[in-house]
């Protein structure tokens, strides 16, 4: 008989201690960090949900793979094992390793973008957008309307609006060198893109003779959503869904720090020989020889093994269940989150949770700090701190005030997540006592990483002891 409980489909062979801290200690540490969670030392964090990027736990097979790494400068067998593993899922002609995803983006945009170019996507991730804009080109986000509304439910909220894409191509295809799709759509809450939407985008691209490139960091999570939610895919294997997704594309950029289950790495894959030749020339200039591209041979081995493990359906079932488990528990408490829960993270709607804090007193920052002082949990503000400062120096509230809780792959167990849920229960009861913040110091760009904050009135959040941690 099938059991209902979905367990972590692994046992733990090697452990890393978590240093427990008291609430008084955390209050001192966050004050010393000027109330900026990026300034904390990570060993002062109990549960670190800052990002799912580069934070995966590697398997015994991946660690064994490291020992096989061949560090030859040129022609290493580790490269060929890496290339074979990529092509097994994504059968592109050319596979070009890079040290991480943004390096692949920079090389690609250096070839295809430039002044006057427009590059549409469902939503460009911020490094992709920055690499497009650095060439003088315009990055255009065309996600469907449902994707912009945190409350609205839709099975594929990451879909690109095909009508708007068609209108853009019809109007100006000569200035569109590529169309991109981010799977899953990170900036939109880790929401998936359907196979029909990928195929629809490809059909338009073919009509206007424009290549389609996938930003494929979370391809396996996207494929699993297709299996669960799209008609006709329930019985298909994830591997076959992955292959079908990429059969519609002419190339991909990849951050291996996500769905290749490793701590560093990436690649650019292309079918076009001429673009690949130019990319390899650029690679030699800034990353390294084409058979290592800024990575060690051992990193390439770990990616090769990670790609086989990430399409394992027991792994994906557990992965999706663990994100959903946190999202559903927060919803049951009454904590508003972006719906439906995405693949790699739960996004808490701080504006709705803390309506007494105006956007420019940073409700997301306030919630992030309160989560840390309450339970040593670190998330990240995605709101007016991150997006509020305008190029002309003025400050505008962001569209949404969110705190992202990203789930590292294979790192935390259900009791860690239960602890996070208990912290939210405590916080929810005391939410009216959470105060806003002001910024006392900030750099001209990307202020969220280094800004200093000050609470607007003395901390009045409850002073009880923290929830019991894993006793
Ligand atoms: C959708 C998406 N694209 C690109 C990147 C950039 O990858 P990297 O951090 O490896 O440079 C990320 C990283 O977070 C991402 O989520």
């Amino acid at each position: 008989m099938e059991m209902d409980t979905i367990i972590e489909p692994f046992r733990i062979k090697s452990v890393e201690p978590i240093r427990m801290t008291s609430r008084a200690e955390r209050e001192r540490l966050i004050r010393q960090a000027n109330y900026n969670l990026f300034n904390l030392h990570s060993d002062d964090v109990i549960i670190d949900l800052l990002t799912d990027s580069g934070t995966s736990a590697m398997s015994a097979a991946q660690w064994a793979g490291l020992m096989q790494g061949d560090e030859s400068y040129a022609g290493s067998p580790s490269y060929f094992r890496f290339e074979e593993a990529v092509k097994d899922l994504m059968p592109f002609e050319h596979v070009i390793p890079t040290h991480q995803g943004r390096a692949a983006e920079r090389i690609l945009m250096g070839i295809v973008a430039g002044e006057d170019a427009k590059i549409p996507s469902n939503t460009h991730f911020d490094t992709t957008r920055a690499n497009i804009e650095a060439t003088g080109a315009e990055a255009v986000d065309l996600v469907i309307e449902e994707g912009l509304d945190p409350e609205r439910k839709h099975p594929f909220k990451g879909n690109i609006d095909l009508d708007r894409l068609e209108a853009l191509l019809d109007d100006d295809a000569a200035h569109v060198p590529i169309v991109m799709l981010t799977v899953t759509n990170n900036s939109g809450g880790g929401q998936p893109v359907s196979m029909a939407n990928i195929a629809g985008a490809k059909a338009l691209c073919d009509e206007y003779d424009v290549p389609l490139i996938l930003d494929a960091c979370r391809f396996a999570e996207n494929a699993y959503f297709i299996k669960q939610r799209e008609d006709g895919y329930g019985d298909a294997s994830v591997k076959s869904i992955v292959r079908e997704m990429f059969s519609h594309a002419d190339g991909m950029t990849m951050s291996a720090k996500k769905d290749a289950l490793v701590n560093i790495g990436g690649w650019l894959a292309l079918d076009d020989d001429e673009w690949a030749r130019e990319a390899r020339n650029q690679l030699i200039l800034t990353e390294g020889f084409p058979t290592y591209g800024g990575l060690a041979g051992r990193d390439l081995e770990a990616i090769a093994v990670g790609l086989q493990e990430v399409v394992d359906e027991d792994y994906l079932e557990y992965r999706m269940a663990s994100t959903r488990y946190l999202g559903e528990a927060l919803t049951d408490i009454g904590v508003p989150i972006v719906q439906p829960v995405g693949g790699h993270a739960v996004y808490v709607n701080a504006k709705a949770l803390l309506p007494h804090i105006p956007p420019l007193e940073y409700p997301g920052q306030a919630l992030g700090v309160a989560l840390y002082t309450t339970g040593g949990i670190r998330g990240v503000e995605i709101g007016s701190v991150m997006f509020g400062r305008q190029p002309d120096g003025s400050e505008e509230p962001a569209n949404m005030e969110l705190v992202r809780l990203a789930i590292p792959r294979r790192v935390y167990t259900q009791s860690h997540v239960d602890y996070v849920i208990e912290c939210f229960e405590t916080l929810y009861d005391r939410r009216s006592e959470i105060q806003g913040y002001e910024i006392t110091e900030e750099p001209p760009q990307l202020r969220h990483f280094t800004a200093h904050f000050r609470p607007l009135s003395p901390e009045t959040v409850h002073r009880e002891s923290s929830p019991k941690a894993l006793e």
Side-chain angles (χ1 to χ4, degrees):
M1 201 176 86
E2 294 284 333
M3 296 293 156
D4 289 335
T5 309
I6 298 168
I7 61 168
E8 288 86 358
F10 47 80
R11 291 181 297 196
I12 297 167
K13 167 136 64 180
S14 176
V15 299
E16 200 179 356
I18 293 176
R19 193 177 81 79
M20 293 301 169
T21 49
S22 67
R23 183 178 176 102
E25 202 179 342
R26 293 192 293 271
E27 283 174 356
R28 176 177 55 76
L29 290 164
I30 194 70
R31 196 170 49 246
Q32 285 167 354
N34 294 298
Y35 299 96
N36 188 328
L37 296 154
F38 285 100
N39 285 340
L40 290 169
H41 292 203
S42 60
D43 54 3
D44 294 332
V45 174
I46 294 179
I47 307 283
D48 204 347
L49 307 181
L50 186 66
T51 179
D52 67 319
S53 179
T55 51
S56 297
M58 293 212 297
S59 65
Q62 285 178 294
W63 284 107
L66 293 192
M67 289 307 295
Q68 287 199 48
D70 179 307
E71 305 304 341
S72 305
Y73 189 92
S76 158
S78 300
Y79 169 77
F80 295 104
R81 279 192 281 271
F82 156 80
E83 185 193 37
E84 193 184 333
V86 174
K87 287 190 173 183
D88 186 42
L89 296 173
M90 302 126 178
F92 296 111
E93 204 54 43
H94 305 278
V95 182
I96 299 164
T98 59
H99 79 276
Q100 62 183 81
R102 68 197 71 183
E105 293 162 5
R106 190 187 55 75
I107 290 170
L108 176 67
M109 298 313 163
I111 298 167
V112 306
E115 297 285 338
D116 299 332
K118 287 181 194 166
I119 302 189
S121 178
N122 45 355
T123 312
H124 290 289
F125 181 66
D126 52 13
T127 57
T128 324
R129 169 173 284 275
N131 274 299
I132 291 170
E133 290 173 350
T135 70
E138 189 188 341
V140 186
D141 291 340
L142 298 176
V143 74
I144 54 169
E145 209 183 296
E146 290 87 338
L148 297 171
D149 180 350
E151 319 286 317
R152 198 117 147 230
K153 291 208 174 181
H154 183 290
F156 293 102
K157 258 176 125 170
N159 281 356
I160 192 167
D161 185 329
L162 293 173
D163 292 335
R164 290 170 69 204
L165 177 62
E166 183 165 24
L168 178 77
L169 289 168
D170 198 40
D171 189 45
D172 205 10
H175 290 114
V176 179
I178 55 171
V179 171
M180 292 192 77
L181 280 178
T182 312
V183 296
T184 59
N185 190 18
N186 183 5
S187 314
Q191 301 293 337
V193 180
S194 71
M195 191 71 85
N197 193 252
I198 300 174
K202 175 61 175 164
L204 284 173
C205 285
D206 282 349
E207 202 177 309
Y208 292 89
D209 202 18
V210 177
L212 177 66
I213 307 288
L214 299 188
D215 173 349
C217 302
R218 299 177 180 84
F219 70 91
E221 292 173 9
N222 199 88
Y224 199 71
F225 277 123
I226 290 176
K227 183 177 168 84
Q228 284 182 319
R229 296 184 184 172
E230 192 161 350
D231 280 350
Y233 290 94
D235 293 330
S237 71
V238 165
K239 208 166 161 177
S240 71
I241 296 173
V242 168
R243 287 189 180 133
E244 188 177 333
M245 282 165 54
F246 287 96
S247 74
H248 296 300
D250 302 284
M252 67 183 288
T253 56
M254 177 74 188
S255 170
K257 300 170 73 174
K258 285 84 171 174
D259 270 355
L261 298 173
V262 294
N263 307 118
I264 195 70
W267 66 88
L268 169 65
L270 294 166
D271 275 336
D272 187 90
D273 297 339
E274 184 51 30
W275 282 1
R277 196 181 56 76
E278 281 182 54
R280 289 196 173 105
N281 289 341
Q282 274 302 313
L283 192 80
I284 290 177
L285 217 57
T286 57
E287 293 280 298
F289 190 75
T291 58
Y292 75 87
L295 293 172
R298 55 180 167 270
D299 298 325
L300 295 166
E301 295 279 356
I303 294 172
V305 179
L307 284 177
Q308 291 164 27
E309 294 177 352
V310 81
V311 291
D312 178 89
E313 300 194 13
D314 292 336
Y315 160 74
L316 283 166
E317 181 182 36
Y318 136 80
R319 168 75 176 155
M320 297 307 182
S322 54
T323 312
R324 199 170 57 236
Y325 178 76
L326 175 59
E328 284 173 358
L330 296 191
T331 306
D332 288 346
I333 296 169
V335 174
I337 61 166
V338 174
Q339 297 283 358
V341 179
H344 67 289
V346 174
Y347 293 68
V348 179
N349 184 346
K351 193 172 2 189
L353 181 67
L354 307 173
H356 58 287
I357 304 183
L360 293 183
E361 292 178 13
Y362 315 121
Q365 188 67 23
L367 177 60
V369 172
L371 261 177
Y372 178 70
T373 49
T374 304
I377 298 159
R378 176 159 71 168
V380 64
E381 192 261 12
I382 302 189
S384 293
V385 175
M386 196 178 269
F387 301 119
R389 184 64 67 201
Q390 305 302 303
D392 67 1
S394 64
E395 198 182 25
E396 297 282 340
N399 291 339
M400 298 194 255
E401 305 292 340
L402 305 175
V403 172
R404 185 184 76 175
L405 307 169
I407 316 290
R409 294 169 181 78
R410 303 192 294 206
V411 170
Y412 293 117
T413 63
Q414 184 172 337
S415 63
H416 293 112
V417 179
D418 286 336
Y419 172 83
V420 174
I421 294 164
E422 188 181 343
C423 289
F424 267 98
E425 278 164 358
T426 308
L427 266 180
Y428 187 77
D429 293 341
R430 304 289 184 132
R431 64 193 183 284
S432 62
E433 297 167 21
I434 299 175
Q435 299 297 321
Y437 282 77
E438 64 180 339
I439 292 181
T440 56
E441 221 182 284
E442 63 180 289
Q445 274 121 25
L446 298 173
R447 65 179 180 174
H448 53 286
F449 290 123
T450 54
H452 293 182
F453 298 86
R454 183 163 54 208
L456 278 167
S457 65
E459 265 254 21
T460 50
V461 191
H462 76 109
R463 305 250 159 211
E464 290 160 16
S465 60
S466 6
K468 283 206 178 87
L470 307 173
E471 286 180 352

